[in-house]
Amino acid sequence: MAQRYVRIKTAQGQTYYGLLQLNRSIQVLDAPPWLQGQPTDLELAPDSYTLLAPCAPSKIVAVGKNYMDHAVEMGTPVPQEPLLFLKPPTTITAADRDIQFPPQSKRVDYEGELALVIGELCVDCTPEQAQGKIWGYTIANDVTARDLQKQDGQWTRAKGFNTFCPLGPWIVREVSAGAKLQTFLNDAPEPVQSASIDQMVFAPDFLVSYISEIMTLLPGDVILTGTPRGIGPMQIGDRVRVEIEGIGHLENTVVPRSAPVIL
């Protein structure tokens, strides 16, 4: 099994990066793994911590309409260049945490995606160089207030609510080019989204290179690589699960927006 890199909080409120062991204990690292974090003598028992989102990026760069069939279902042409937008870090929430449905929206959609985690400073990189800047891979749900997206024209509000970027539950170093991405709602046996990640219009190394020509990517930054066909609405009470072969699954429940969210 691939090593699973996590970020956790102890009952005492301490935050650590670590390696998840088969028995669910955590081997604590002395720094984020992309900053050469090394194992320490501290090991945490399975019942002594809470999983957080696996990184705390300075920014989340997302790519729209990066699967041809999704562009078609949106009624738009496939972009000639990557279509970029930003989600604030405050959208991030962890696996098994709630997605809060904001009162401003009538329709909130799931969008299952592969997420890239940057490991090194990345500026003006070629695609060949960019491949070496991708430290690892995790799962994301690019939650979107679809009605507000259409109403506003630009996407900041629709993509930017608290909890609108479930991320995790961990990071792996490699993922197969043909890994299957699937999204499930509640207990339905059939996925609402199912695609191979090699069906992206723009591949991960190209995306990192393209973005690095616009903005500096920092270690720990996250890139959302786009969602395939099958987006749809979530209702309060729904559970949404995004699975990617070789990584695992990310599951969250939809609730009404209420108290401030703790990341």
Side-chain angles (χ1 to χ4, degrees):
M1 184 180 68
Q3 288 187 313
R4 298 173 173 182
Y5 293 86
V6 296
R7 181 169 157 265
I8 59 95
K9 179 175 285 188
T10 68
Q12 294 73 38
Q14 298 162 305
T15 299
Y16 296 110
Y17 287 89
L19 276 167
L20 180 66
Q21 307 299 307
L22 287 175
N23 65 357
R24 305 293 293 187
S25 67
I26 301 293
Q27 179 69 59
V28 171
L29 304 178
D30 59 10
W34 44 89
L35 298 181
Q36 291 73 55
Q38 297 300 310
T40 69
D41 294 332
L42 179 60
E43 186 164 329
L44 301 176
D47 59 353
S48 67
Y49 67 85
T50 302
L51 277 180
L52 303 175
C55 56
S58 75
K59 55 187 169 295
I60 306 158
V61 187
V63 183
K65 303 176 185 176
N66 196 31
Y67 288 79
M68 185 177 298
D69 55 2
H70 173 54
V72 171
E73 78 173 341
M74 295 296 288
T76 59
V78 176
Q80 296 301 302
E81 296 182 274
L83 177 60
L84 305 182
F85 59 94
L86 296 172
K87 292 175 80 82
T90 46
T91 58
I92 290 177
T93 193
D96 300 318
R97 301 283 183 87
D98 294 333
I99 297 169
Q100 293 194 354
F101 197 120
Q104 297 94 325
S105 178
K106 302 298 182 186
R107 174 171 169 168
V108 173
D109 285 8
Y110 56 80
E111 294 190 11
E113 308 200 8
L114 174 70
L116 316 177
V117 179
I118 298 300
E120 298 179 23
L121 188 75
C122 189
V123 185
D124 293 332
C125 294
T126 66
E128 293 74 22
Q129 293 169 330
Q131 183 60 48
K133 305 293 186 180
I134 301 171
W135 192 88
Y137 304 86
T138 189
I139 305 170
N141 186 350
D142 176 21
V143 180
T144 304
R146 192 69 64 198
D147 51 347
L148 302 183
Q149 182 184 31
K150 294 178 179 178
Q151 176 181 316
D152 292 352
Q154 56 81 26
W155 301 356
T156 302
R157 181 166 63 141
K159 300 281 192 176
F161 286 98
N162 290 349
T163 74
F164 269 30
C165 189
L167 192 69
W170 42 67
I171 300 167
V172 300
R173 294 301 310 272
E174 296 182 354
V175 66
S176 169
K180 182 172 288 187
L181 183 160
Q182 294 186 304
T183 304
F184 296 83
L185 272 181
N186 299 316
D187 297 320
E190 295 299 319
V192 289
Q193 291 184 291
S194 183
S196 170
I197 61 174
D198 60 7
Q199 295 173 358
M200 292 179 194
V201 177
F202 302 106
D205 55 352
F206 183 87
L207 292 175
V208 172
S209 172
Y210 183 87
I211 295 166
S212 78
E213 294 174 345
I214 301 164
M215 65 189 80
T216 299
L217 292 168
L218 302 176
D221 280 351
V222 168
I223 296 173
L224 308 188
T225 58
T227 197
R229 180 181 62 83
I231 61 167
M234 301 180 292
Q235 309 300 327
I236 291 172
D238 281 349
R239 296 189 317 281
V240 58
R241 184 175 81 253
V242 184
E243 298 182 354
I244 299 180
E245 286 181 319
I247 303 178
H249 70 269
L250 171 70
E251 186 166 340
N252 302 88
T253 300
V254 183
V255 302
R257 179 160 178 165
S258 53
V261 176
I262 300 175
L263 301 181

